[in-house]
Amino acid sequence: MIITAFRFIRFDKAKSIGVVIGIVISIFLIGQQVGILSFLTGLMGGLVENADKNVGQIWVVDNVTQNANELTPLDERLVRQIRSINGVANTYGIVVTGATVKFDNGKTAPVLLIGSEAPVFVAGPRRDKIDMGDISSLVNDGAVSAEHYDASVFNHSVDVGTSIEINGKSAMIRVQTKNARGFAGSFFYTTIDRARYFAEFPANKVSAIAVQAENGADLDSVCTSINSSIFGVRAWRADELQNSTVSFITITSNIGVSIGSLVVFAVISGFFIIGLTLYSSALDRMRDYGTLKAIGATNGYVRRLILTQALLFAIVGYVIAIALLEGFRIGVANAGLTIAYTPVILGGLFLITLFISVGGSLFAIRKVTALEPASVFRG
């Protein structure tokens, strides 16, 4: 069956190449858009994603916040009050506030200062995202972190030891992170007191409270206890707040609709282009299919023959498309567009490839199975 299908494919090389190119273009475009959406959603939830979720298992914010990038100041006394609730092992205040950084070349840029208590640094940066320096050095005078990929944004080096000004106050980059970024701007991590100092953030306020639950405590039960005990706040499991942030931004910014519509159109166009090309190819081979049926081939055999061709097209097109996507991923990584194609994404792309190729072959199957074998011997 495979050999016969391969011979049919070789018979009309131009149309076969056209089918493969159609699959490659469709899958590459879909993979590219899905990769970019995955990157953007990573940025949207970056504030929580870059925090230490093993310690800050629960985040407490004001009761109207659904987006972690838009935090309303809370009374600092809540940090101690929440610590007294059953199931809570410890609490940590977090300050998130905007500021302006200035480099010695005169370049200025808005940044987001993220401060939390040393030595835990529950708000981040995560140890696995530190590229240069040591997180313990953030306790030094004026110490802040900076992001490796933001050097191009600032048009200035952000290496460890770089002197800068934040809101006109002297600071120094002591830690360089890599891919610890967010949707709301460049992240500069430091201690909670220094974040307050640089941004003149009120000393009796915090932006959020990270909660570490007691060993074995049910996080949902702890969240319920906090919500029922304290008015005006809402406790979220860290992952739930991150997911809520991604959903909120994706919906309100129409990013999901924009990218989703491109993916849908790529699937539809690929389905019909490949389907019509296979249909045209089947018309060209109608006499051969009729001969097969005349010498005893059943409609089931013909269907399997066409589906085998479609499967071969799908495998070849998928392999080439994934190779091109890998080249795209490597090419944009140096510019800071870090895309990861997980096994789930790759599996999804393969299923879409099968849908486009095998589904498109139904046009040809319908035409060939309706063919009368004797008709090929007339005229």
Side-chain angles (χ1 to χ4, degrees), residues 1-319:
M1 179 68 74
I2 293 179
I3 294 175
T4 305
F6 184 68
R7 286 173 178 166
F8 270 72
I9 291 173
R10 286 185 57 190
F11 175 78
D12 193 345
K13 293 180 181 176
K15 285 191 172 64
S16 297
I17 292 173
V19 171
V20 172
I21 290 176
I23 293 173
V24 170
I25 292 175
S26 296
I27 298 306
F28 177 79
L29 289 176
I30 295 169
Q32 185 190 49
Q33 294 301 315
V34 170
I36 291 173
L37 179 61
S38 175
F39 169 73
L40 291 176
T41 55
L43 293 184
M44 295 171 192
L47 185 63
V48 180
E49 174 63 25
N50 298 324
D52 187 347
K53 295 181 187 175
N54 292 322
V55 178
Q57 300 158 309
I58 296 170
W59 282 50
V60 178
V61 297
D62 70 282
N63 59 356
V64 297
T65 293
Q66 299 180 52
N67 176 6
N69 298 300
E70 298 175 350
L71 299 173
T72 301
L74 301 173
D75 193 318
E76 197 268 346
R77 290 174 294 184
L78 291 175
V79 177
R80 294 182 293 278
Q81 188 175 347
I82 293 173
R83 196 176 297 161
S84 65
I85 294 176
N86 287 336
V88 174
N90 213 336
T91 55
Y92 304 88
I94 297 173
V95 166
V96 181
T97 181
T100 300
V101 63
K102 182 177 182 181
F103 293 85
D104 58 12
N105 63 356
K107 173 74 175 180
T108 61
V111 298
L112 203 64
L113 289 173
I114 304 171
S116 56
E117 296 173 29
V120 178
F121 290 106
V122 66
R126 277 177 15 200
R127 273 61 169 179
D128 61 319
K129 293 200 172 188
I130 293 177
D131 189 46
M132 298 174 61
D134 188 280
I135 195 169
S136 61
S137 61
L138 287 179
V139 301
N140 295 335
D141 288 344
V144 295
S145 74
E147 168 61 30
H148 167 83
Y149 290 117
D150 286 337
S152 58
V153 176
F154 300 138
N155 193 27
H156 193 284
S157 167
V158 291
D159 289 340
V160 170
T162 302
S163 295
I164 57 176
E165 287 185 0
I166 298 178
N167 287 351
K169 299 167 184 172
S170 297
M172 179 173 287
I173 296 173
R174 296 284 189 178
V175 172
Q176 186 182 96
T177 60
K178 195 166 188 178
N179 204 28
R181 294 177 290 174
F183 199 67
S186 303
F187 285 177
F188 274 47
Y189 290 95
T190 186
T191 64
I192 188 169
D193 292 335
R194 194 166 300 118
R196 286 180 171 133
Y197 165 71
F198 282 134
E200 297 182 356
F201 193 89
N204 61 345
K205 298 288 184 182
V206 293
S207 303
I209 301 167
V211 177
Q212 182 180 23
E214 293 178 346
N215 288 335
D218 181 72
L219 295 183
D220 291 330
S221 298
V222 176
C223 288
T224 302
S225 297
I226 294 172
N227 292 332
S228 60
S229 303
I230 301 177
F231 175 77
V233 301
R234 179 174 177 181
W236 298 73
R237 295 178 63 145
D239 288 338
E240 290 180 349
L241 180 59
Q242 183 177 343
N243 293 336
S244 172
T245 299
V246 172
S247 299
F248 183 87
I249 298 177
T250 301
I251 294 172
T252 56
S253 66
N254 288 325
I255 290 176
V257 174
S258 177
I259 293 180
S261 61
L262 287 174
V263 170
V264 170
F265 279 119
V267 172
I268 293 174
S269 60
F271 180 86
F272 283 102
I273 289 173
I274 293 165
L276 292 176
T277 304
L278 288 172
Y279 179 79
S280 174
S281 178
L283 289 180
D284 294 341
R285 303 300 304 274
M286 198 58 70
R287 181 172 292 276
D288 296 320
Y289 285 118
T291 303
L292 281 175
K293 296 177 74 171
I295 62 176
T298 63
N299 279 335
Y301 178 86
V302 174
R303 279 195 294 269
R304 289 195 296 275
L305 179 60
I306 295 175
L307 288 174
T308 302
Q309 293 176 61
L311 184 60
L312 291 174
F313 284 133
I315 293 172
V316 173
Y318 176 78
V319 171

Side-chain angles (χ1 to χ4, degrees), residues 309-358:
Q309 293 176 61
L311 184 60
L312 291 174
F313 284 133
I315 293 172
V316 173
Y318 176 78
V319 171
I320 296 175
I322 295 303
L324 291 176
L325 284 174
E326 181 63 12
F328 168 74
R329 187 190 67 78
I330 295 172
V332 300
N334 292 330
L337 186 61
T338 51
I339 295 174
Y341 289 107
T342 63
V344 173
I345 294 177
L346 294 176
L349 289 176
F350 184 66
L351 291 178
I352 293 174
T353 308
L354 290 178
F355 171 74
I356 290 175
S357 184
V358 177

